[in-house]
Each structure stands twice: as C-alpha cells, then as structure tokens.
Amino acid sequence: MLDNAKLGRIVAMMKEKEVPQLIITDPLSIFYLLGKRFAPGERMLALYVNVDGDKQLVINKLFPQTEDLGVPITYFDDIEDGVEVLCQYIQKDKVVGVDKNWPAHFLLRLQELKGGSAWVNGSLIVDKVRQIKDENEHRIMKESALKIDQVMDKLIPWVVKGLTEIELEEKVKELCAEVGFEGLSFDPITGYGKSGADPHHVTDETKGKHGDSVVLDIGGMWKGYASDITRTVFIGEISDRQREIYNIVLEANKRGIAAAKPGNKMSDVDKAARDYITEMGYGEYFTHRTGHSIGLEDHEAGDVSAVNDEIIQPGQCFSVEPGIYLYDEGIGVRIEDILYITEDGCDVLNEYPKDEPIVVPDGE
C-alpha cells in the first residue's frame, strides 16, 4: 500500500529541485513506496508521480494486481508500446526525472515520443529520500543486524574445521537460512591469510592454517532490508604483529563511529578513521573508502569517503569499516559495523564483540 509519508518527502524534494514529474522504475524504489515487489524482467515498469499529486503505476498485464496498492494502475500487453502508454500521463512541456538505471531503449523511446521537455536524473531525488530511514526501517535494520550477529557467532568456529573459502561461503548461506534470513545481501567474503589481505580476492579453494587471520564479511536480507558486518578472527594464535594491526584498525573503527553524528560531514567520518591509520604508519595500506550507505540494498547511494562532504542527518544508515591489508605478510584486518544516525549521535546496530581479537583454538 502506498506510503504517503515517503511519497510526501519525495514530492517535497521534487519541488525543491524543480523537477515537476518523476518516472520511478527501480523495483526497489517502487517497493519502498508501495510495499510491493515486482520483477518485470525486460518488460517496462514505471510509477509516474508529479508535484500536482497525480500518480499512475504502468505495468504489463502479466502482473495483475489483486490488492489495493493505493495508486491507479494502467496495464499494457506485449503487443503494445509500454512507453507510449506511459506518455499518456506525462506533462510533455515539463522536465521529467528518470531513474538512473532505466534501460536506454526505454529512455530513447520516451525522448522520441517527446515525453517531456527535458530529462534529468530523478534518482538523485529518490535515493536521497531513501537515505533517511524512519523508525520502522530503523527497527527492521536493527533486527537484521542482530540476526547477522547470530550468523557470525555460528560461523566463526567453522574457520578451524578445514573448510575451503568456497565451503565456508556455503556455510554462510546455510547459517543465514537457519536464522531466518530471506537471502544474502551480497556475496560473502571468507578470506584466509593472504586472501583476506587482498580486498579484491575472489573466494577460492584456499584452506586456513594455524596463525592465519581470517576476514569474514557477511550480510543477509530481513524483511527487505540488508545487514552487513565484518570481523577478523585468528586461527590458533595471534602474533604480536597481528595484534598491533588489529588494535590500530579497531581504534580507527571507533574513531569513525565517534565522528558519525548529525552536523558532521560524511568525509569527517572517513578522515577520523583514515587519519589515525595514517598516523600509525599504515595509510597506504587502507585502500578503500571507510563506508557505504545501506538499506534496501547493501550498497545504496551515498558513501563515507574523503570526497563526500554531505552533512550527516538523523535517519541515515551507513557502515564504518576501516582496514589494513599487508599482502606480503599475509595479514588482512577489517572491522565493520552498521550505524543508524540519531538526533545526537548514532546507534551501532551490530553488537557482536570486537574489543579483543577473537582467537579460535585449532588443537595445535
């Protein structure tokens, strides 16, 4: 059913950005507004909205709706031109916002039919609104985070069971299903030793050995919302060198979290984590941004990086995940938590322990 509060926020931003009408085609954004999932495949799907309050869902007849979605519906079939049907509702003398991922052949047809006076990236509006989670979304994301904490707890003992990285990845899928996740939010990272020290490593047949650090980056989908967590654990023992790197990354994680509050910039969070790692002499080994936004997708629009100077607002949800990767030494450490921004700080959604390195006994 149409969420009028969310739609109202989108319309308000449309007015602010002087975009009088939108064609929303991303199935996740349509789910965000209507609470209904569509998988249109190659067929056109579009939710038309304008600032005058007009709304129209245009979908193929293969997807008949038996429930009230709160918006008028127009159907077309496979021998009709879906874009031409959509154009019946477009104000052709005004600018149209279009989703960034709408297939080019639909947009080209829209332009050919002169469906609008100009075309702009409408996702800049929808994505910005999706960044700000309401209390219901906060609750669901907290549930999702606690569930992935459970999976992490169940997964860690398996790093000493002689599984390959691929087998350990399969174990993640099994455990996510066991705790009730609808699926994974991304392909897990289960990297032993040098594999965990290569941020671009593709899971393979490598097995863990005594003394390895193990990077476990996992996430699941719960009630349509993603979770994400990374913990680095150690097989059998932890060396002084590994402990040094772990503690630096842990402190960077905590400093990033401390900087995550309304009024600061996203780049301030990155700077807090990155500056500490640099100060400790490992800046060149922190090779990625500090975090990413998360919600209906594991990676949503808006990141935690040195070049993102957007002001942090209550309701935003993003990761803080600094890392150090010493490939030649076979040491990779990353620690990731998901945050929800409150009025005066943040709620760290993940609660799985991190303050002390986790060493998993291997019998050696």
Side-chain angles (χ1 to χ4, degrees):
M1 186 69 173
L2 177 66
D3 189 317
N4 285 298
K6 290 175 179 175
L7 179 62
R9 289 165 55 204
I10 287 175
V11 170
M13 188 164 290
M14 289 169 65
K15 293 176 180 177
E16 177 186 330
K17 301 296 183 183
E18 298 183 342
V19 178
Q21 51 190 342
L22 278 182
I23 302 171
I24 302 171
T25 66
D26 177 5
L28 281 176
S29 292
I30 292 176
F31 169 73
Y32 175 75
L33 287 169
L34 302 185
K36 179 64 182 286
R37 292 189 177 277
F38 294 92
E42 77 276 14
R43 294 174 172 86
M44 195 200 74
L45 165 71
L47 175 62
Y48 172 81
V49 176
N50 67 31
V51 294
D52 299 322
D54 297 328
K55 303 176 286 291
Q56 195 75 30
L57 181 64
V58 181
I59 59 176
N60 194 279
K61 289 179 179 177
L62 282 174
F63 311 104
Q65 300 304 300
T66 58
E67 59 190 289
D68 181 8
L69 298 180
V71 294
I73 299 175
T74 296
Y75 292 99
F76 64 94
D77 63 31
D78 282 347
I79 61 172
E80 293 180 282
D81 182 339
V83 178
E84 190 172 14
V85 173
L86 173 63
C87 276
Q88 299 174 34
Y89 304 101
I90 293 173
Q91 298 169 340
K92 296 186 177 182
D93 60 341
K94 296 182 179 179
V95 171
V96 183
V98 180
D99 271 353
K100 59 180 182 272
N101 292 326
W102 204 32
H105 68 93
F106 290 137
L107 176 57
L108 291 170
R109 179 61 175 151
L110 182 71
Q111 293 172 330
E112 183 182 296
L113 293 170
K114 297 181 171 50
S117 61
W119 302 270
V120 298
N121 184 357
S123 292
L124 297 175
I125 293 171
V126 181
D127 289 347
K128 193 66 179 175
V129 170
R130 276 176 51 182
Q131 279 185 357
I132 308 301
K133 275 63 178 175
D134 60 27
E135 280 304 315
N136 183 57
E137 290 175 292
H138 180 196
R139 176 183 57 78
I140 294 172
M141 293 201 68
K142 181 68 174 180
E143 292 172 358
S144 193
L146 294 179
K147 278 184 173 292
I148 204 62
D149 286 356
Q150 292 177 41
V151 174
M152 182 65 75
D153 191 53
K154 293 172 180 287
L155 177 66
I156 287 173
W158 285 93
V159 303
V160 295
K161 302 291 188 181
L163 302 184
T164 67
E165 292 174 355
I166 292 173
E167 289 169 337
L168 195 57
E169 179 180 327
E170 289 302 311
K171 180 57 65 174
V172 174
K173 297 175 184 177
E174 176 186 320
L175 294 173
C176 280
E178 185 178 297
V179 304
F181 277 120
E182 299 148 5
L184 303 183
S185 53
F186 59 93
D187 292 334
I189 295 173
T190 50
Y192 297 112
K194 281 195 171 184
S195 298
D198 176 8
H200 299 288
H201 174 72
V202 177
T203 303
D204 60 23
E205 298 291 343
T206 301
K207 291 186 177 183
K209 63 184 185 301
H210 185 84
D212 273 352
S213 54
V214 189
V215 175
L216 303 172
D217 188 348
I218 60 175
M221 297 298 299
W222 172 248
K223 297 181 180 177
Y225 284 81
S227 56
D228 195 351
I229 185 174
T230 306
R231 293 293 183 263
T232 303
V233 302
F234 303 86
I235 297 178
E237 65 176 334
I238 180 171
S239 69
D240 290 343
R241 178 71 163 150
Q242 289 170 328
R243 187 180 295 275
E244 173 198 3
I245 300 304
Y246 184 92
N247 286 336
I248 292 170
V249 173
L250 175 63
E251 180 63 22
N253 168 271
K254 290 181 175 181
R255 291 189 181 203
I257 291 171
K261 55 187 176 182
N264 279 357
K265 296 178 289 187
M266 298 291 269
S267 56
D268 292 332
V269 180
D270 182 271
K271 179 176 171 59
R274 194 172 304 279
D275 280 2
Y276 180 72
I277 289 177
T278 300
E279 176 189 329
M280 300 306 291
Y282 296 98
E284 66 182 291
Y285 303 105
F286 179 14
T287 54
H288 54 77
R289 63 192 178 188
T290 295
H292 57 85
S293 295
I294 184 172
L296 294 174
E297 300 169 275
D298 182 58
H299 283 215
E300 291 195 330
D303 63 14
V304 185
S305 70
V307 297
N308 186 358
D309 289 330
E310 290 190 9
I311 301 299
I312 298 171
Q313 300 179 60
Q316 283 186 288
C317 205
F318 54 82
S319 69
V320 171
E321 50 181 298
I324 294 175
Y325 309 95
L326 306 175
Y327 185 77
D328 289 343
E329 298 181 50
I331 300 174
V333 176
R334 181 166 67 254
I335 300 172
E336 175 186 18
D337 296 297
I338 301 301
L339 317 181
Y340 175 87
I341 302 301
T342 62
E343 293 295 331
D344 57 0
C346 67
D347 174 17
V348 181
L349 301 186
N350 300 103
E351 297 181 359
Y352 199 78
K354 62 183 179 182
D355 286 345
E356 292 293 330
I358 296 173
V359 179
V360 188
D362 64 351
E364 291 192 20

